Amino acid sequence: MKAQRKIHHLFNFIKNLTAQFRSDHKLFETVNFKLNFEVQSLNSKKPMPYPRHHKEPTLRPILEFNPLIDARKLKAALTAGCHDESTVINILTTRSYSQREEIIIAYHDTTGHQLSQDLSSAFSSKCLKVLLALLEPPDEFLAKELDKALNRLGTDSEVVSEILCTRSNAKISGIQLAYLKLHGKTLLSVISSEFNLSLDYKELMSMLLQGLRHESKETNQEKAKKRAASVHNAVEEGWSTSTKIFLRLLTHESFDQLCMVFDEYRLVSGLAMEEAVKSACSGDVGHAALAIGMNC
């Protein structure tokens, strides 16, 4: 019976994590945009539909939230000789980051201890790694993941792409500030100095880090048609500049406008934009281009 309960708790733990995290290197998926949008939606008289390029979050701030109650439950769960894993897991994997911030403060005020230290005493292995990651500010966590990816033998460009290519200008700026604070150097300088990365990839990352993407919610169909035709011509005629055309398109247009361009390209060519990306971009820059395209 005890074994069955443990398996049940583990199953719920994995299910909750899966709702928040796509993979180990992209563990922390709490995005401020989504949380802010939820607050706006809750305060609005009418439900607010999510923009097309944003997936509706499966983790939302719980409405009846009391950080003091959660802190007391965690204190009881982490008491020596108790170590109630299910309570700790259920609390930390079902609260948004902003709510976990409040819990961390309430826990310290209640116990005089740091929650991270008490977790380290009670848990071990990968479970502890995940729980500690849940307590970190998202920007700091992602900055650390980027540093690991950039310092691996061979450089893990896929991790870099999945972190930077899927975020807004504001989120990228926050990650850069966290990286500078943690490592004493700019993220751009580190990426630019990586000899394992292609020049096109470095150029794409440079444009993303500079925050060149337009983020207006307005879209222009005529402009989208022209962009789609330009891409189609470049790919069909094998222009040597086709990669540059893609880089500018993917790093300057808003995600909403990009989605419209992708739709127009499908009408012009009969193919998905992903096929055009694959033919014009390969290797690290190809993967990054596809990561941006996944926002549509």
Side-chain angles (χ1 to χ4, degrees), residues 150-162:
L150 291 166
N151 283 295
R152 278 185 199 131
L153 186 62
T155 308
D156 196 338
S157 62
E158 290 191 8
V159 173
V160 177
S161 297
E162 289 189 25

Side-chain angles (χ1 to χ4, degrees), residues 138-140 142-143 146 163-164 167 170-180 187:
D139 290 344
E140 287 187 18
L142 292 172
L146 282 168
I163 291 175
L164 296 179
R167 284 170 168 76
K171 292 302 297 181
I172 291 173
S173 177
I175 293 168
Q176 289 189 87
L177 289 173
Y179 192 93
L180 179 62
L187 184 54

Side-chain angles (χ1 to χ4, degrees), residues 31-38 50-51 54 168 171 217:
V31 179
N32 283 340
F33 170 84
K34 293 181 178 179
L35 297 183
N36 291 336
F37 193 90
E38 282 301 330
Y50 269 75
H54 282 284
S168 66
K171 292 302 297 181
K217 298 302 176 186

